[in-house]
Amino acid sequence: ARFLLLLTVVTCASRASGQQIAFSNPFERIGVYADYLPLRTAGDQLFILATGVGGAPEILVYNTRLEPVKRNAATAFPNSNPLSIRPEGDHTMVLAEFPGPGMNIYRSVQIDSNGSPFLVKDLAILNTKPGMPWSYVKSEQEQYHLFYQVNNPANDSLAIEFMVLGNDWEVWETGILEIPFSSEFDRLNPLFIDDNGRMWITVYDQPMNYKLGSAVRVYSYSKGDVKMEAAILPVHENKPVQFYFLFDNVNKVAILHALYLDFHERNIKG
């Protein structure tokens, strides 16, 4: 079927000059696919990873008029979840997750200038347990990649098992962090990792509990730290419900944004 694609591609200034490319023409019919992932533009070509309805992935190559140029079998991507895409010269590197029985395998895959993919190497393996998925988050400039799993060994604490990959996608650190936590009164915000490899863990009050105010606990940890740094941020009457992190690389400051719940009206205000 035909459809419209609006695509914006921005490459980081640290890697290449910034560019924005917008396509609004309909694709020419080339097949039936369940999912499309734009990979990169190179010259006058657009590369797309397409997952077939039957599960067989392909690399589709289009020109700037969105006419099909070629298609290649993507046997290096069977049942995979591409997590990070990194253009390098005339080829593209993809960090991909391959779920399997009892484990997730993480691999780097290269796509050459002709759109042909091949496996470079296995990077790491994480064991999985039923009902305990691994979460994934990457830093803003994709310098670090964090995989973590939350365990609740006791009502008064949490254990967070983690693995961090560096910007070369090699394993940078693994470990377990423990923090005080009440399953009745606390909530855990999704973890954040900045471009220096520092992890940020935020715990806040259940929004609808009886407390008039709130005490937000922010823990930070980086490789080599003997213990986690912790900051307690008191909030009166307006209770945050979920946080969004930004990191200022120039001033080395983490910035927290949050919606909040007004204690008296019990609705989200802003």
Side-chain angles (χ1 to χ4, degrees), residues 3 70 90 138 150 178 239 268:
F3 60 91
K70 66 183 73 170
D90 63 350
K138 53 191 173 185
V150 179
E178 293 190 11
K239 308 184 72 169
I268 293 177

Side-chain angles (χ1 to χ4, degrees), residues 24-236:
S24 58
N25 296 324
F27 274 120
E28 297 256 343
R29 184 184 298 275
I30 195 172
V32 180
Y33 299 95
D35 188 51
Y36 296 82
L37 176 66
L39 295 172
R40 71 173 297 186
T41 57
D44 61 353
Q45 293 185 324
L46 168 66
F47 294 81
I48 292 177
L49 174 63
T51 303
V53 173
E58 292 185 304
I59 302 293
L60 309 181
V61 183
Y62 291 85
N63 60 25
T64 54
R65 296 182 298 277
L66 293 185
E67 298 167 339
V69 175
K70 66 183 73 170
R71 58 198 292 186
N72 297 321
T75 55
F77 289 102
N79 303 316
S80 67
N81 301 315
L83 302 177
S84 180
I85 301 168
R86 186 172 67 206
E88 292 187 355
D90 63 350
H91 62 274
T92 306
M93 299 299 297
V94 180
L95 169 63
E97 176 185 70
F98 295 78
M103 68 179 65
N104 291 339
I105 302 174
Y106 299 91
R107 294 171 172 150
S108 59
V109 179
Q110 179 175 311
I111 302 171
D112 66 20
S113 58
N114 293 315
S116 298
F118 61 90
L119 175 66
V120 176
K121 65 176 178 179
D122 290 354
L123 300 167
I125 296 176
L126 291 175
N127 295 325
T128 58
K129 303 174 186 177
M132 295 180 61
W134 285 89
S135 298
Y136 167 69
V137 63
K138 53 191 173 185
S139 65
E140 187 175 1
Q141 302 296 327
E142 300 193 23
Q143 296 297 302
Y144 291 91
H145 303 261
L146 169 63
F147 302 83
Y148 68 93
Q149 186 181 68
V150 179
N151 300 284
N152 190 191
N155 186 53
D156 60 352
S157 66
L158 278 182
I160 301 173
E161 186 174 358
F162 69 90
M163 176 182 73
V164 178
L165 304 184
N167 61 358
D168 56 0
W169 296 345
E170 297 292 340
V171 177
W172 191 64
E173 186 182 18
T174 61
I176 297 176
L177 300 173
E178 293 190 11
I179 58 172
F181 189 87
S182 168
S183 57
E184 182 179 0
F185 297 109
D186 293 331
R187 281 192 183 181
L188 177 69
N189 197 67
L191 270 63
F192 173 79
I193 188 166
D194 63 36
D195 284 312
N196 293 318
R198 179 168 290 275
M199 284 182 276
W200 300 84
I201 304 168
T202 308
V203 178
Y204 59 102
D205 286 345
Q206 295 281 1
M208 299 300 289
N209 66 16
Y210 63 88
K211 297 180 182 178
L212 178 62
S214 181
V216 179
R217 304 197 311 273
V218 181
Y219 300 88
S220 66
Y221 170 82
S222 187
K223 183 178 180 179
D225 288 352
V226 176
K227 64 178 182 178
M228 284 188 291
E229 299 291 334
I232 299 177
L233 311 176
V235 182
H236 301 290

